[in-house]
Amino acid sequence: MPFISTEKPKSRPWGVYYREEEPGCGVYHTNDASGKYFPERYYLDSYDNDSEHFTTIEEAAAYVSGIIGKDVKPDKNAVGEALDEYMEEQNDEDVRYSFHEFTVVDE
């Protein structure tokens, strides 16, 4: 999936929308407030190269529910807490997840 769209919408004649991901620094930004070009608002980083993007918190919660084997409330904090508990229960350094929400920034 591209991280930059060069399509020229009427509201932005110069036409640059972006999504920025820098996991090492905890930076997850987009300037696509409408979600037309980058609709994903949530990101699950997995240290086994099975990372996923989600458009809604409900999609993210359902996916995480499948990982941990129990229902997770569709709430950013609940998803993060469920993953933290799961990692602690697994007690395995190779089972690592981090959950992030993209911040919509001004141009």
Side-chain angles (χ1 to χ4, degrees):
M1 174 175 281
F3 284 94
I4 295 178
S5 173
T6 56
E7 186 172 328
K8 295 182 178 182
K10 292 177 184 174
S11 64
R12 251 186 214 148
W14 38 270
V16 176
Y17 282 96
Y18 69 89
R19 179 175 69 200
E20 174 183 24
E21 297 176 24
E22 180 49 61
C25 295
V27 174
Y28 299 89
H29 297 147
T30 183
N31 68 341
D32 184 8
S34 71
K36 181 176 179 180
Y37 302 99
F38 299 105
E40 298 86 1
R41 294 296 188 234
Y42 301 92
Y43 177 65
L44 176 64
D45 191 9
S46 170
Y47 298 102
D48 68 358
N49 295 324
D50 192 23
S51 300
E52 295 287 335
H53 289 87
F54 305 97
T55 304
T56 67
I57 191 64
E58 290 79 12
E59 291 172 351
Y63 188 87
V64 170
S65 293
I67 291 171
I68 69 171
K70 55 185 169 183
D71 287 340
V72 177
K73 181 181 173 184
D75 172 81
K76 180 185 177 231
N77 292 331
V79 170
E81 288 171 10
L83 287 166
D84 288 344
E85 289 174 16
Y86 177 73
M87 290 184 295
E88 189 173 315
E89 290 169 3
Q90 298 303 304
N91 197 23
D92 181 345
E93 290 184 18
D94 292 331
V95 177
R96 304 298 305 161
Y97 295 96
S98 59
F99 186 67
H100 309 277
E101 181 176 16
F102 283 91
T103 301
V104 177
V105 297
D106 292 333
E107 310 171 71

